[in-house]
Amino acid sequence: DAKTTQPPSMDCAEGRAANLPCNHSTISGNEYVYWYRQIHSQGPQYIIHGLKNNETNEMASLIITEDRKSSTLILPHATLRDTAVYYCIVRVGNNAGNMLTFGGGTRLMVKP
Amino acid sequence: EADIYQTPRYLVIGTGKKITLECSQTMGHDKMYWYQQDPGMELHLIHYSYGVNSTEKGDLSSESTVSRIRTEHFPLTLESARPSHTSQYLCGDRGSGGANVLTFGAGSRLTVL
């Protein structure tokens, strides 16, 4: 699996956009980028995933660079409840029985 | 959307006791997983299952065992709990299809005295 690198922590002001970067320079052509978050030791929660096109859903947007070596998760209007650890994971999307490996993630602190 | 239920949420138990952490899901998904997470640390996969009667060990060695007799249940057992087993145990499942979207339960926080 491609290794990912994320900053260990970030701060964001409430109401502002939170931009969480992830580097995955060894990503291969059939590997997807997944984002999960974990709020205060609850079970991780799926946010979004993508292959090469930018993706948007009700929670966030995912911007993947053209060379696919990095991506950014965008929370457009961060709230205090978005304070969590955010995990960027790269994995083959269609590999049956594929489990996910969680790294250290980025601890996002949203401040009032 | 899959529902994953874990019981108990919190368990404090003495050394040497046998414990079973329950995990159940309502969607009939084949693939289920157990992760272990110490406070402030990374999640580590300790067991997974592809379906009934299928169980495999994960990346992190664990003294726990699992069983998958029924699709909806994936219990984790520690025959003789020790303080080193104190941790949070998270159960998840994955739906069918191509995306690697895991749904997790709320977790079971185990403290062994």
Side-chain angles (χ1 to χ4, degrees):
Chain A
D1 303 326
K3 178 180 170 59
T4 62
T5 303
Q6 299 178 254
S9 64
M10 290 181 62
D11 289 344
C12 178
E14 187 179 19
R16 297 294 193 117
N19 299 295
L20 293 96
C22 180
N23 286 321
H24 31 79
S25 58
T26 60
I27 192 170
S28 60
N30 61 348
E31 288 183 309
Y32 287 69
V33 180
Y34 292 83
W35 283 85
Y36 282 73
R37 72 180 182 184
Q38 188 175 26
I39 298 174
H40 191 53
S41 296
Q42 296 176 21
Q45 176 190 24
Y46 165 80
I47 301 173
I48 198 167
H49 75 284
L51 182 62
K52 53 184 177 181
N53 297 323
N54 298 337
E55 302 288 344
T56 296
N57 63 20
E58 65 278 5
M59 291 182 67
S61 295
L62 174 60
I63 308 298
I64 302 174
T65 58
E66 192 169 341
D67 62 7
R68 303 210 321 123
K69 293 185 176 182
S70 66
S71 60
T72 301
L73 179 76
I74 301 172
L75 308 178
H77 305 286
T79 70
L80 299 179
R81 286 178 292 182
D82 292 322
T83 292
V85 178
Y86 287 77
Y87 299 99
C88 170
I89 302 166
V90 173
R91 205 68 169 102
V92 175
N94 292 321
N95 193 347
N98 223 345
M99 67 290 292
L100 296 177
T101 300
F102 292 83
T106 296
R107 186 172 298 277
L108 175 68
M109 180 72 71
V110 181
K111 298 183 175 181
Chain B
E1 186 174 319
D3 287 325
I4 298 279
Y5 303 100
Q6 289 188 245
T7 58
R9 286 292 311 280
Y10 302 93
L11 178 63
V12 180
I13 202 164
T15 296
K17 300 291 186 181
K18 177 180 179 179
I19 65 113
T20 297
L21 305 180
E22 300 288 348
C23 177
S24 61
Q25 48 106 349
T26 62
M27 298 297 288
H29 291 153
D30 287 330
K31 300 175 182 67
M32 297 187 74
Y33 309 86
W34 277 102
Y35 285 80
Q36 183 177 344
Q37 185 178 34
D38 293 335
M41 304 299 285
E42 299 180 11
L43 289 93
H44 293 284
L45 179 71
I46 54 174
H47 299 284
Y48 60 98
S49 168
Y50 293 160
V52 171
N53 294 326
S54 157
T55 60
E56 301 287 343
K57 290 190 177 295
D59 303 325
L60 181 68
S61 175
S62 173
E63 294 172 344
S64 59
T65 59
V66 292
S67 63
R68 192 86 184 275
I69 299 172
R70 293 165 58 185
T71 297
E72 59 269 28
H73 295 303
F74 191 37
L76 181 146
T77 299
L78 279 163
E79 290 293 334
S80 180
R82 294 206 299 269
S84 61
H85 297 141
T86 294
S87 190
Q88 175 161 251
Y89 295 84
L90 291 155
C91 180
D93 82 341
R94 178 193 161 193
S96 58
N100 268 313
V101 178
L102 299 189
T103 301
F104 285 88
S108 292
R109 188 172 295 279
L110 172 66
T111 301
V112 184
L113 303 176

